[in-house]
Amino acid sequence: GESVGLHLPTLSVQEGDNSIINCAYSNSASDYFIWYKQESGKGPQFIIDIRSNMDKRQGQRVTVLLNKTVKHLSLQIAATQPGDSAVYFCAENFLGDMRFGAGTRLTVKP
Amino acid sequence: DTEVTQTPKHLVMGMTNKKSLKCEQHMGHRAMYWYKQKAKKPPELMFVYSYEKLSINESVPSRFSPECPNSSLLNLHLHALQPEDSALYLCASSQETPYGYTFGSGTRLTVV
């Protein structure tokens, strides 16, 4: 069936650097996308979302980019901090059905 | 209150036991969800309730039985589970599907 996937399963960055986490989705009809952060032993925490009628959305230190032409989603984290270390999931939605990608583990080195 | 509360946080049960997981939210959300998450894997959708009615059932085995007594509560009844059912069970709710999705911290279930 259709699925959401990620290009990189792990990402290691130096504290203070910018991080980019990528996600490929396969359902061209998906109209809403969310990035989640999940720390060990906790539930997924909402980071930022974007609707399909937008290409870019910015939050505090985070930016989500959506390229519908190639069905690609990315999460950019500026000035990455040790507290950003976690697993990051993208999720796509179509008609209320939310599906998650495989996840990327981000490790921030001091 | 902007939280989804799940109880218990940890549960160990035998394969012949019957237990229930509980989920509660007081944000006025009308959609509630159960997800199953295995280690190092993404959450997998199990059930969706919209306005207290089951709207999506992702072909989950009948040993998992959801219940939505009212708009604030969601239960997952467990019976005759298998060791492979051990996982983190997550509850989520949203204002209207799918916006404002909020997850609870989950119940860590171990079947022995």
Side-chain angles (χ1 to χ4, degrees), chain A residues 64-106:
Chain A
V64 55
L65 298 177
L66 176 63
N67 186 332
K68 294 181 288 294
T69 302
V70 294
K71 290 184 284 188
H72 184 267
L73 195 67
S74 69
L75 176 70
Q76 300 177 1
I77 304 174
T80 313
Q81 303 168 359
D84 294 327
S85 293
V87 177
Y88 289 80
F89 293 101
C90 66
E92 63 174 330
N93 173 78
F94 176 64
L95 297 179
D97 188 352
M98 186 76 72
R99 304 284 171 165
F100 284 77
T104 292
R105 178 173 295 282
L106 175 65

Side-chain angles (χ1 to χ4, degrees), chain A residues 96-100, chain B residues 32-36 42-48 56-60 101:
Chain A
D97 188 352
M98 186 76 72
R99 304 284 171 165
F100 284 77
Chain B
M32 297 187 76
Y33 314 81
W34 280 115
Y35 283 82
K36 173 183 178 180
E44 296 177 355
L45 184 65
M46 300 175 72
F47 302 105
V48 179
I56 295 177
N57 177 343
E58 290 290 326
S59 301
V60 179
Y101 234 81

